[in-house]
Amino acid sequence: MNAVNPPRWRALVVLAAAQFMVIMDTSIIGVALPDMQRDLGFSPGALQWVFNAYVIAFGGLLLLGGRLSDIFGARRIFTAGWLILIAGSAVAAVANSPWVEILGRGVQGVGGALIAPASMTLLMMLFSHDSRELGKAMALYGAAAPAGGTAGVFLGGVVTEYLSWPWVFVVYIPIGIATLLAVPALLPAVAGRRGSVDVLGGLVVTAGIALAVFAIVRAPEQGWGSATTLLELAGAVVLLTLFLLVQRVIREPLMPPAVWRTPGLAVANLAMALLGAAWIPMWYFLNL
């Protein structure tokens, strides 16, 4: 498929819809949380892991997902991501215990971590030939993320009210299948390239993020100054530091240290981190 032929705009719809769905998965469960807590027997402290399991797997594995997209081809990884997301949605929908629900959400997050970077690669392949078209495509693609996050809040309420909470996961299955059917006709078969994949680095950074979140979540009960909390936070710092050190010495890092020399990148990431730290917990507590 030629990357500059007319179907690229239909392909953009598929890619933007994928981004919409991946981000919507962070918010669609909000209104359903109290029903999940009642039906599955979640404790108040454990309930937040329905949300955390997704965002930790999604955020922690994004770098690895991008690297896999480079090595094995973006369309293959995009397809694999949807298959994993569909599987995680099915597990989450039929869960009969808290741990199965959390497992399903984690699997969903893994799928999202493959879909998102592969989508960006495919978009660049389709539109990089024309800077004006690329700007339009990036604007539409970028708008899909906040639209998905906002729509999830309302759609989750409608689905929970008129169907039941498992349907906030079931809806991903037919959409995922429809997306997979559209892939061969609309998305270019991007060839991969030779190289290595730092799987260990991806797992270490994800484990570090997970341990940090775990420590912070438990700190109000354990005490911020307790030995348990301090050890957990120290373990998270060690894992994240190890990841950064490995990225400096490995031949093909997931996150080249030189990228931080880009003007404004550190400030932009700090701003996004603070925004996420304020916005995401707010929606969680408002729903409850």
Side-chain angles (χ1 to χ4, degrees):
M1 172 178 170
N2 190 318
V4 298
N5 64 12
R8 66 188 181 278
W9 291 105
R10 294 198 293 273
L12 177 61
V13 173
V14 174
L15 298 176
Q19 180 75 344
F20 180 95
M21 297 298 291
V22 164
I23 302 302
M24 187 175 76
D25 212 2
T26 65
S27 60
I28 195 171
I29 65 165
V31 177
L33 286 173
D35 286 357
M36 290 184 200
Q37 182 178 17
R38 183 186 64 248
D39 292 349
L40 299 180
F42 275 100
S43 67
L47 183 63
Q48 60 192 295
W49 287 97
V50 177
F51 179 85
N52 291 342
Y54 181 85
V55 295
I56 289 172
F58 175 59
L61 294 173
L62 270 176
L63 291 172
L64 183 59
R67 183 62 178 165
L68 291 172
S69 179
D70 290 340
I71 299 299
F72 296 105
R75 193 170 82 171
R76 288 193 186 96
I77 297 303
F78 183 82
T79 301
W82 272 107
L83 290 171
I84 294 171
L85 182 61
I86 290 169
S89 300
V91 171
V94 301
N96 57 5
S97 70
W99 289 111
V100 175
E101 184 64 47
I102 292 170
L103 173 64
R105 288 290 287 163
V107 173
Q108 282 189 310
V110 173
L114 298 180
I115 293 169
S119 296
M120 180 62 72
T121 299
L122 289 165
L123 184 147
M124 295 300 295
M125 291 294 298
L126 288 163
F127 292 96
S128 60
H129 66 282
D130 186 321
S131 59
R132 290 178 298 178
E133 286 196 351
L134 179 61
K136 294 177 183 178
M138 288 296 292
L140 291 170
Y141 182 82
T150 303
V153 177
F154 301 103
L155 292 176
V158 171
V159 170
T160 304
E161 176 71 20
Y162 295 104
L163 295 171
S164 61
W165 67 260
W167 284 89
V168 301
F169 305 116
V170 172
V171 294
Y172 279 83
I173 297 174
I175 293 172
I177 293 172
T179 301
L180 290 174
L181 292 175
V183 164
L186 295 179
L187 300 184
V190 183
R193 62 183 178 84
R194 297 186 64 177
S196 60
V197 180
D198 182 18
V199 176
L200 179 61
L203 296 178
V204 167
V205 69
T206 304
I209 295 171
L211 186 56
V213 172
F214 184 72
I216 293 169
V217 165
R218 284 168 28 104
E221 298 177 2
Q222 301 287 336
W224 284 97
S226 70
T228 300
T229 299
L230 294 177
L231 285 172
E232 290 168 350
L233 289 173
V237 171
V238 168
L239 288 171
L240 295 174
T241 302
L242 177 62
F243 170 73
L244 294 175
L245 291 175
V246 169
Q247 299 310 291
R248 293 179 65 88
V249 299
I250 196 170
R251 175 177 291 184
E252 297 183 274
L254 290 176
M255 186 184 71
V259 75
W260 292 101
R261 299 183 193 134
T262 305
L265 179 64
V267 175
N269 276 275
L270 177 61
M272 290 302 296
L274 293 174
L275 176 62
W279 176 68
I280 294 174
M282 178 194 73
W283 279 113
Y284 175 81
F285 286 112
L286 282 178
N287 283 318
L288 293 181

